[in-house]
Amino acid sequence: MLAAGAACAGEVEVLHWWTSGGEAKAAAALKAKLQTLGHTWKDFAVAGGGGDSAMTVLKSRVVSGNAPAAAQIKGPSIQEWAREGVLASIDDTAKANNWDALIPKPIADGLKYKGSYVAVPVNVHRVNWLWVNPEVFKKANAKVPTTWDEFFAAAEALKKVGVIPVAHGGQNWQDFTTFEAVALGVGGVDFYKKALVQLDAATLKSPTMEKVLTTFKRVKDYTDKNAPGRDWNLATAMVINGQAGMQIMGDWAKGEFLAAGKVPGKDFVCAPAPGTSKAFTYNVDSFAMFKIKNDANVKAQKDLATAIMSPEFQEAFNLNKGSIPVRLNMDLAKFDDCAKQSSADFVASSKAGSLVPSIAHGMAVPSAAEGAIKDAVSQFWNSDKMTAKEAMERIASAAKVK
Ligand code: GAL
């Protein structure tokens, strides 16, 4: 029996970028799950939040004919990779486990290529969050903002008591994450969809876009001069230790607070990013499965996919990651209030038509346009000279990149 077990045991090489404190704990849950099935986990972690470096490394591995079994790929990129003919169908696994009934349809559609599943989802992250240190807010006599005007009022108050108002870092996807939150809060849901999902040229050059860009740039005045080069989780650490008052970031930031032993509602507060309480910017992490040769490894790959969708894994992983399970009808008893709010808002926004894909996290537009717009947004953020009008032109041209 031992010999038979060993013959079936395979190895799964998994590419991901989960290297911060909270992320690493979540990745460890995935590894543990695979090991309990008797398979070997080969870690292929590429540091750099947001995944830009990971995607560059993945491309070179696939081009050289040496793809990992599974890679953290999401949104429209799944289709891009599938069109290259390098992804494997895991439809038998999906059918055997009834995924169509367990994954919200709009998400499931994005995980399929020509009707077959090629990727398995792990979670739903909400991106439009504001993370607040209540102690420093109290010291500054500031109120958790619900509008952008209130945001700047709170930022001023924090500045007066010597606290860095906004924790920010130097990766361009951090700028982009702030930008999309401002776009949703200042422009509203329809604007967001037209500008950042449909990439409508007129909307990208509209007066609303100018207002969005001006507001976005104002946020920078409240960040510190050491932000360039800083990783997102180090920015979160500044809110955790009270050096900074708030951070605009997806709920992977909650994974950092939790890993630091902080309690939601007491040591930190999660609030929807200003002006976005009725909307939900989603970011679904998923693993795309690559075509591999060895039978035992294919079996291990499929076992991993099955395990990822199991209720036990969805719970264990998401409790660490800060996200909520993507699997429908899960019991959230063990989850905190931020997760419960996220889950309720996910359902409500989906009904109301205000559930929108995150452009900053690869969910909304093809990767080439996303990269070009992200660069244009960061150039504006970093420039002392570029006007909002000039930025609008650059962004509108970037949106045409194919
Ligand atoms: C996102 C990813 C999250 C999170 C974040 C920072 O793009 O979906 O899982 O880890 O990057 O690394």
Side-chain angles (χ1 to χ4, degrees), residues 17-18 23 49-50 74 125 173 232 252 283 285 321 361:
W17 62 86
W18 291 332
E23 289 177 331
K74 49 190 175 155
H125 271 302
W173 66 267
W232 69 272
W252 46 91
N283 170 21
D285 284 313
K321 191 68 172 70
H361 293 278

Side-chain angles (χ1 to χ4, degrees), residues 115-344:
S116 290
Y117 279 94
V118 290
V120 55
V122 284
N123 62 2
V124 179
H125 271 302
R126 185 184 199 174
V127 188
N128 58 318
W129 280 118
L130 181 74
W131 304 92
V132 165
N133 181 317
E135 207 181 294
V136 296
F137 261 61
K138 203 168 155 211
K139 190 169 133 201
N141 205 6
K143 168 176 168 292
V144 176
T146 59
T147 64
W148 284 99
D149 285 343
E150 288 177 9
F151 176 89
F152 292 114
E156 272 301 322
L158 290 161
K159 199 171 158 184
K160 284 213 179 80
V161 295
V163 171
I164 297 164
V166 181
H168 195 74
Q171 296 148 314
N172 60 1
W173 66 267
Q174 293 187 49
D175 307 337
F176 210 16
T177 300
T178 298
F179 173 78
E180 73 173 23
V182 176
L184 187 62
V186 170
V189 170
D190 289 341
F191 167 83
Y192 184 97
K193 286 183 183 168
K194 271 197 197 138
L196 301 180
V197 183
Q198 293 152 23
L199 301 180
D200 175 64
T203 312
L204 286 170
K205 294 190 206 176
S206 64
T208 308
M209 182 67 167
E210 193 175 350
K211 192 169 167 211
V212 165
L213 283 163
T214 314
T215 310
F216 165 66
K217 194 64 188 278
R218 243 181 106 191
V219 176
K220 193 184 175 195
D221 296 340
Y222 297 97
T223 63
D224 65 317
K225 64 173 189 340
N226 295 325
R230 180 187 289 138
D231 284 340
W232 69 272
N233 53 312
L234 299 181
T236 308
M238 292 163 64
V239 181
I240 293 176
N241 66 28
Q243 211 189 329
M246 49 189 170
Q247 182 184 23
I248 299 162
M249 188 51 65
D251 44 20
W252 46 91
K254 194 182 77 185
E256 298 307 299
F257 284 97
L258 299 180
K262 301 296 176 192
V263 179
K266 181 174 157 272
D267 303 320
F268 68 97
V269 171
C270 56
T276 73
S277 66
K278 298 261 179 313
F280 190 115
T281 316
Y282 69 89
N283 170 21
V284 174
D285 284 313
S286 50
F287 283 97
M289 300 301 177
F290 280 83
K291 286 180 181 160
I292 47 172
K293 290 200 182 83
N294 177 306
D295 284 348
N297 291 354
V298 170
K299 162 98 174 45
Q301 185 185 45
K302 289 185 175 168
D303 284 353
L304 179 71
T306 304
I308 284 176
M309 274 297 291
S310 70
E312 307 77 52
F313 173 76
Q314 291 269 322
E315 180 180 271
F317 177 87
N318 286 299
L319 282 172
N320 285 311
K321 191 68 172 70
S323 39
I324 54 172
V326 65
R327 185 184 162 115
L328 294 167
N329 306 320
M330 286 269 306
D331 177 8
L332 294 182
K334 288 198 189 144
F335 285 80
D336 59 39
D337 288 346
C338 300
K340 285 183 181 134
Q341 185 183 345
S342 176
S343 175

